[in-house]
Amino acid sequence: MRKVNWVIGLAAVGLVLSGCGQGGTPADPDGGEGGPAYEVNDDADIAASPTWKSAHDQGSITIGVYHDQPGIGNLTAGAEAPEGFDVEIATLVAGQLGFAPEDIDWVETVTANRDTFLQQGNVDLIVAGYTINDERKKIVDFAGPYYTTGQDLMVRSDSDIAGPDDLGGKTVCATVGGVPGQRMAKEHPEAELVTYDTVSKCVTDLQSGSVDAVTTDDAILRGYAAQSGDELTVVGQPFSEDHYGIGLPKGEVELRSAVNDAIEAAVENGDWTQAFEHTLGDSDGVEEPTVDRY
């Protein structure tokens, strides 16, 4: 094993995460400019996995992440690579699969194309706020979960919306194909639902007054709220419990097992906590993930 310091230019996102018990601001556990150092397993051998073997033979692994969600997966102007908790998780997992940070090809993914990217072979893994559910398991595989979050609402600071019960006659924006939008349509039909490919478009509409609220996972919303100054706020009343998983092509049993091993090792050796605190803040009170080896 060798340790490689994955340097991430962390955006100044003063996150205060409360819906899942998080609080605080991002910190560098190394005490320097770089991020956490993750081991790279040069002896990794998962030749029974077609996806891993193809990546190994070409010398790089392709991972889909968000590019527009502060604190989770975000590519800032001038940056060479995306940053955020999902990116950290992807990096430490890749290390256990034998790929150093420089061996990772980052591909932007949005909510609506995650399933398709895996099915068509555009990516080897997806780490992008990808909620595990039974419908998705029919067409892709999941390792994890690596994080538990809750769906919430973000509104303008002068809004009278205090929770999902106040959405009658309101316009709510969500991403196409995402669980939050599907849940909103099913459980809160009294609200008018507007959908876009990215959360950032929803946020722009919220700021302009075109919609009354944006709904997605709590951690994502708080990243945007922090960037807005006092303009936007998160209601802080999560109404779901969702589990983020790492997406893999369907039938990749050996690779899924290896990724699950990497997540469990990261929890045990402290890498998971370092990744969280480097991007999302104080981990006190945050529940560490328990892998579900279905």
Side-chain angles (χ1 to χ4, degrees):
M1 294 275 191
R2 56 192 167 105
K3 265 201 168 179
V4 177
N5 201 339
W6 175 227
V7 179
I8 294 180
L10 184 63
V13 181
L15 298 180
V16 180
L17 305 178
S18 65
C20 299
Q22 299 100 328
T25 55
D28 180 0
D30 288 346
E33 295 182 357
Y38 305 121
E39 289 183 339
V40 177
N41 182 8
D42 293 319
D43 297 323
D45 184 0
I46 320 169
S49 161
T51 297
W52 183 88
K53 188 176 186 305
S54 176
H56 179 265
D57 290 347
Q58 71 182 14
S60 64
I61 188 168
T62 304
I63 304 179
V65 296
Y66 286 132
H67 279 191
D68 69 334
Q69 299 191 3
I72 300 295
N74 193 45
L75 183 63
T76 56
E80 295 182 357
E83 60 196 15
F85 181 60
D86 282 354
V87 178
E88 294 285 339
I89 293 296
T91 303
L92 68 86
V93 166
Q96 289 303 301
L97 299 181
F99 300 93
E102 62 268 21
D103 301 327
I104 301 174
D105 294 328
W106 301 107
V107 172
E108 181 180 9
T109 187
V110 297
T111 301
N113 67 20
R114 293 172 299 187
D115 297 343
T116 305
F117 270 23
L118 286 171
Q119 290 176 302
Q120 295 181 348
N122 300 89
V123 296
D124 301 315
L125 304 173
I126 283 185
V127 191
Y130 207 2
T131 301
I132 301 171
N133 62 43
D134 290 338
E135 284 301 308
R136 287 176 174 157
K137 284 182 181 179
K138 295 177 182 178
I139 55 176
V140 301
D141 277 341
F142 285 101
Y146 66 89
Y147 184 60
T148 298
T149 186
Q151 183 174 345
D152 211 327
L153 297 166
M154 183 170 67
V155 298
R156 291 181 294 279
S157 296
D158 60 356
S159 173
D160 58 358
I161 298 174
D165 293 338
D166 299 325
L167 295 177
K170 304 294 187 180
T171 304
V172 181
C173 192
T175 51
V176 176
V179 171
Q182 295 169 2
R183 181 180 291 119
M184 184 60 57
K186 181 179 179 180
E187 298 180 5
H188 297 281
E190 71 276 12
E192 179 184 350
L193 183 64
V194 175
T195 58
Y196 291 123
D197 288 341
T198 64
V199 177
S200 57
K201 291 181 180 179
C202 288
V203 175
T204 299
D205 270 16
L206 180 61
Q207 291 172 316
S208 70
S210 299
V211 301
D212 300 304
V214 176
T215 187
T216 188
D217 301 329
D218 177 80
I220 295 170
L221 292 177
R222 292 186 182 279
Y224 280 106
Q227 284 193 331
S228 76
D230 296 329
E231 184 181 4
L232 305 176
T233 186
V234 179
V235 170
Q237 297 293 329
F239 47 99
S240 74
E241 182 176 276
D242 299 310
H243 304 283
Y244 285 175
I246 295 178
L248 308 91
K250 187 67 176 175
E252 279 284 359
V253 177
E254 291 82 4
L255 181 57
R256 186 174 79 232
S257 179
V259 174
N260 279 329
D261 289 345
I263 295 170
E264 289 183 336
V267 172
E268 185 173 345
N269 66 22
D271 282 352
W272 186 92
T273 299
Q274 286 195 79
F276 187 96
E277 293 186 344
H278 181 62
T279 54
L280 293 180
D282 189 357
S283 63
D284 286 349
V286 178
E287 182 180 353
E288 294 179 336
T290 299
V291 165
D292 178 16
R293 295 179 181 266
Y294 66 90

